């Protein structure tokens, strides 16, 4: 494993997360353990970064539990019980129905319309950094489309689908606003993230400074201010909820090519993973939807599916290149 020698800021946090993924992969060699021990012992910053990465998802790699590096400080590595073996009973009845449902979804015109209306767009699994004419920048996440509405009086970006991070250059004469569904997010000199979900929900998180969120279809509703380190979710109807404190490391993990889950239902994990997967992923059987998932995973859908299959003792059936069924 090659480690970037830059130990500052997010780079060191990324190293710790990468090591955590490696050490829980189930294929840890003696050489890898030795390399990890060298990295871990470099200084307190390395050890603290690893502890924080571990705390982020509440457990540690099984490989580390089986053979922890020598002389690691007591109490800094926690273990979890081995996954209970689950009797596998193939339940493939209904896969034909699932395939037909997928076909119907693929024939939907929403995605095509978004692409035709957009100025910038990313494919599934792709990210793109763009520079706007005013010097602001936008990082587009997977399956994202946005259109620009630019004039001498305003700077407006319409998020048609997906998710993006905005780093805004101040201009007192032209406000910067992101429209997503029925919401409009006005920058107050800031770095922020806007996500438009398929359910119609809109999520806003702020990394620097603040934003003001208003409802475009309800001008009488007072805009909600979202401060640095806060997250607001609008479900798509009703009023605006008050923002909550945000776990920015988890929310911003996609910008580093990672997904972080903390005791979340497999159904919710698959919903998120489908945003990054060219093949539609479906769950077969009600009981499997309630499996709980904690961990740090790459946004690469095949790698994550393989990790889920091993850790949860479930099966994966591929029906051509466009459909994957997870089942018992």
């Amino acid at each position: 494993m090659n480690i970037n020698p830059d130990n500052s800021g997010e780079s060191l946090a990324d190293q710790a997360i990468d090591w955590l993924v490696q050490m829980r992969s189930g294929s840890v060699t003696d050489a890898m353990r030795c390399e990890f021990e060298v990295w871990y012992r470099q200084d307190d910053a390395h050890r603290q970064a690893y502890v924080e990465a571990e705390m982020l998802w509440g457990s540690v790699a099984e490989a580390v539990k089986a053979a922890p590096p020598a002389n690691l400080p007591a109490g800094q590595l926690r273990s979890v019980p081995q996954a209970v073996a689950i009797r596998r009973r193939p339940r493939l009845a209904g896969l034909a129905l699932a395939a037909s449902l997928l076909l119907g979804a693929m024939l939907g015109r929403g995605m095509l319309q978004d692409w035709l209306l957009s100025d910038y767009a990313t494919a599934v699994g792709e990210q793109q950094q763009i520079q706007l004419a005013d010097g602001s920048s936008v990082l587009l996440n997977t399956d994202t489309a946005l259109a620009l509405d630019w004039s001498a009086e305003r700077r407006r970006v319409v998020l048609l689908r997906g998710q993006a991070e905005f780093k805004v250059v101040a201009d007192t004469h032209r406000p910067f606003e992101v429209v997503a569904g029925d919401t409009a997010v006005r920058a107050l000199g800031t770095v922020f993230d806007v996500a438009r979900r398929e359910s119609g929900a809109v999520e806003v998180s702020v990394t620097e400074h603040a934003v003001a969120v208003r409802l475009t279809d309800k001008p009488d509703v007072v805009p909600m201010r979202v401060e640095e380190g806060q997250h607001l979710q609008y479900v798509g109807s009703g009023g605006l909820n008050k923002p909550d404190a945000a776990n920015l490391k988890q929310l911003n993990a996609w910008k580093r090519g990672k997904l972080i889950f903390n005791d979340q239902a497999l159904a919710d994990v698959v919903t998120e993973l489908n945003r990054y997967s060219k093949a539609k992923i479906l769950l077969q059987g009600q009981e499997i939807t309630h499996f709980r998932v904690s961990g740090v995973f790459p946004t690469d859908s095949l790698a994550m599916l393989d990790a889920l299959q091993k850790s949860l003792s479930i099966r994966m059936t591929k029906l051509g290149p466009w459909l994957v069924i997870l089942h018992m």
Side-chain angles (χ1 to χ4, degrees), residues 166-183:
F166 300 87
K167 295 183 178 180
V168 179
V169 172
D171 185 339
T172 56
H173 301 292
R174 290 194 304 164
F176 189 103
E177 195 169 58
V178 179
V179 176
D182 295 330
T183 66

Side-chain angles (χ1 to χ4, degrees), residues 22 39 57 62 68 71 73 90 99 102 121 131 162 175-176 179 210 226 251 298-300 306:
Q22 288 287 332
W39 177 88
W57 60 285
E62 291 179 6
N71 299 323
L102 171 66
Q131 196 80 15
F176 189 103
V179 176
V226 186
L251 291 175
T299 53
D300 181 278
D306 184 60

Side-chain angles (χ1 to χ4, degrees), residues 157-160 178-185 194-196 200-202 216 234:
V157 177
V158 180
L159 185 64
L160 300 168
V178 179
V179 176
D182 295 330
T183 66
V185 184
V194 180
R196 188 173 180 180
V202 174
T216 57
Y234 173 65

Side-chain angles (χ1 to χ4, degrees), residues 17-285:
I17 290 173
D18 289 340
W19 271 121
L20 193 60
V21 173
Q22 288 287 332
M23 298 303 285
R24 71 186 296 271
S25 66
S27 57
V28 182
T29 65
D30 291 340
M32 186 182 296
R33 287 195 186 94
C34 290
E35 190 176 351
F36 168 66
E37 185 175 350
V38 170
W39 177 88
Y40 184 89
R41 289 183 172 185
Q42 283 188 40
D43 53 38
D44 289 340
H46 283 73
R47 290 187 285 273
Q48 182 62 31
Y50 191 83
V51 170
E52 289 178 356
E54 182 194 335
M55 291 176 63
L56 190 62
W57 60 285
S59 60
V60 71
E62 291 179 6
V64 177
K65 185 196 75 169
N71 299 323
L72 290 183
Q76 290 195 344
L77 295 180
R78 296 189 300 276
S79 61
V80 295
Q82 293 283 349
V84 177
I86 301 175
R87 182 168 52 183
R88 295 175 177 176
R89 295 176 294 168
R91 295 186 179 184
L92 300 182
L95 294 187
L97 174 61
S100 65
L101 291 174
L102 171 66
L103 180 61
M106 291 175 65
L107 294 177
R109 295 178 295 173
M111 180 182 295
L112 178 60
Q113 290 175 344
D114 290 338
W115 275 61
L116 291 175
L117 293 172
S118 69
D119 291 298
Y120 298 95
T122 54
V124 172
E126 180 188 14
Q127 293 183 358
Q128 182 183 0
Q129 181 85 44
I130 61 174
Q131 196 80 15
L132 302 181
D134 67 335
S136 301
S137 65
V138 184
L139 176 61
L140 280 66
N141 199 6
T142 175
D143 188 20
T144 295
L146 57 83
L148 300 182
D149 181 9
W150 229 247
S151 71
E153 293 79 28
R154 69 184 182 191
R155 297 173 294 169
R156 177 179 292 174
V157 177
V158 180
L159 185 64
L160 300 168
R161 65 184 299 113
Q163 181 177 24
E165 179 194 58
F166 300 87
K167 295 183 178 180
V168 179
V169 172
D171 185 339
T172 56
H173 301 292
R174 290 194 304 164
F176 189 103
E177 195 169 58
V178 179
V179 176
D182 295 330
T183 66
V185 184
R186 175 167 292 196
L188 304 177
T190 188
V191 178
F192 63 99
D193 184 302
V194 180
R196 188 173 180 180
R197 306 302 184 187
E198 290 186 5
S199 64
V202 174
E203 298 181 20
V204 180
S205 58
V206 180
T207 302
E208 293 181 12
H209 303 297
V211 300
V213 182
R214 64 182 177 89
L215 296 178
T216 57
D217 61 340
K218 298 177 181 178
D220 295 336
V221 175
V222 178
M224 188 70 67
R225 185 181 175 97
V226 186
E227 302 285 352
E228 181 175 321
Q230 290 186 329
H231 172 263
L232 179 146
Q233 181 177 28
Y234 173 65
V235 298
S237 61
L240 289 171
N241 297 322
K242 291 184 178 180
D244 299 316
N247 184 335
L248 291 181
K249 281 190 176 181
Q250 182 172 356
L251 291 175
N252 292 334
W254 66 270
K255 301 164 193 175
R256 307 194 305 275
K258 297 177 175 65
L259 298 173
I260 300 174
F261 302 104
N262 185 11
D263 192 31
Q264 292 174 242
L266 180 59
D268 295 332
V269 171
V270 168
T271 297
E272 181 68 11
L273 184 56
N274 267 319
R275 298 175 56 219
Y276 298 85
S277 175
K278 294 180 180 179
K280 180 70 175 180
I281 305 167
L282 298 177
L283 298 178
Q284 175 69 15

